[in-house]
Amino acid sequence: MAGFRALAREVRNPRRHITARRTSLRKCLERFAPYGHRATWHHLCTSSGIPPEERRPDPLRLLTALEELEEARTLWLAYEADFAARRRQEKLLGIRQPSTVDDWHLNTWGGCDIIPCESPSTHPGDRLADVLRRLIAAMESGPGSACPVCAQRGLVWREDLDRYPSAGPVCADCGIVVPLPLLTTEALAASRGTVRLGRYATV
């Protein structure tokens, strides 16, 4: 099975048919997809101007999408390297129990579903790397009272998410499922004040 870098080389290879290059970009998302596969694909298509169902996209737009994905992956891999080094040091000091943020991070190792989106078509509009920088800053600063990506306070608790986690607070503005350790107990309680089940909401 080809790795991310090998697939990225296939996307860049001008001798390959454009549909095969598009397929290689989709396969890159099996290795790194911060919003989940479908939402990350939709984001890349939107930001680079590629119609999501276009089988023969403009090669320059395809490369633009790849470059954004690579930028975000480089940032996240650097964070993961720092995380691993810190955990090794903590273990040497006898600190065996990871924090709640660390425990959450272990479920996102490798870069898939870091901050999944409730809907594939609703996701942050900024570049992936910028969103991940905000997420990392939030992890380093401790729990907050708003979405760590867009700073909005409109969080709605969902019980029917179709991926890990199966339940959690969803930002009504940018659509991400906010990691629990990044919210204060008060913010979590407020999100649970409105529980949405599919199309129905109870307050």
Side-chain angles (χ1 to χ4, degrees):
M1 182 180 293
F4 184 95
R5 291 181 180 177
L7 290 167
R9 285 195 295 270
E10 292 178 5
V11 177
R12 287 194 168 91
N13 187 349
R15 293 188 297 275
R16 301 184 76 232
H17 194 277
I18 191 61
T19 57
R21 294 169 67 182
R22 176 188 182 275
T23 298
S24 293
L25 180 60
R26 289 296 298 260
K27 288 183 178 179
C28 283
L29 301 184
E30 296 173 6
R31 279 73 176 172
F32 182 75
Y35 301 152
H37 189 285
R38 293 173 63 203
T40 304
W41 175 250
H42 191 276
H43 167 82
L44 291 174
C45 288
T46 300
S47 65
S48 61
I50 299 173
E53 301 305 322
E54 174 60 59
R55 298 295 175 181
R56 298 182 178 182
D58 180 276
L60 291 179
R61 294 182 186 276
L62 199 67
L63 293 178
T64 296
L66 175 62
E67 288 166 3
E68 179 177 353
L69 188 66
E70 287 180 319
E71 177 190 19
R73 181 174 179 268
T74 298
L75 175 72
W76 188 250
L77 290 181
Y79 168 75
E80 287 192 334
D82 291 343
F83 171 87
R86 177 172 59 79
R87 285 298 295 143
R88 285 194 297 271
Q89 185 62 33
E90 288 175 347
K91 289 177 180 179
L92 289 175
L93 297 174
I95 304 172
R96 294 286 174 177
Q97 185 65 34
S99 69
T100 54
V101 170
D102 293 344
D103 192 47
W104 162 80
H105 179 249
L106 291 174
N107 288 299
T108 68
W109 195 263
C112 289
D113 287 317
I114 299 170
I115 38 176
C117 295
E118 175 198 9
S119 167
S121 60
T122 304
H123 42 71
D126 295 327
R127 290 181 67 82
L128 290 171
D130 292 336
V131 171
L132 292 180
R133 286 189 187 95
R134 290 179 205 145
L135 181 71
I136 292 170
M139 288 190 287
E140 293 174 345
S141 62
S145 59
C147 172
V149 170
C150 68
Q152 297 300 312
R153 296 176 182 268
L155 304 177
V156 180
W157 188 267
R158 286 292 303 270
E159 293 282 357
D160 59 344
L161 301 176
D162 61 359
R163 58 170 56 83
Y164 177 87
S166 60
V170 174
C171 178
D173 186 66
C174 70
I176 71 163
V177 181
V178 181
L180 298 183
L182 301 188
L183 294 173
T184 63
T185 54
E186 293 79 10
L188 284 173
S191 74
R192 287 189 173 98
T194 302
V195 179
R196 188 151 66 93
L197 298 171
R199 294 176 299 166
Y200 304 96
T202 59
V203 179

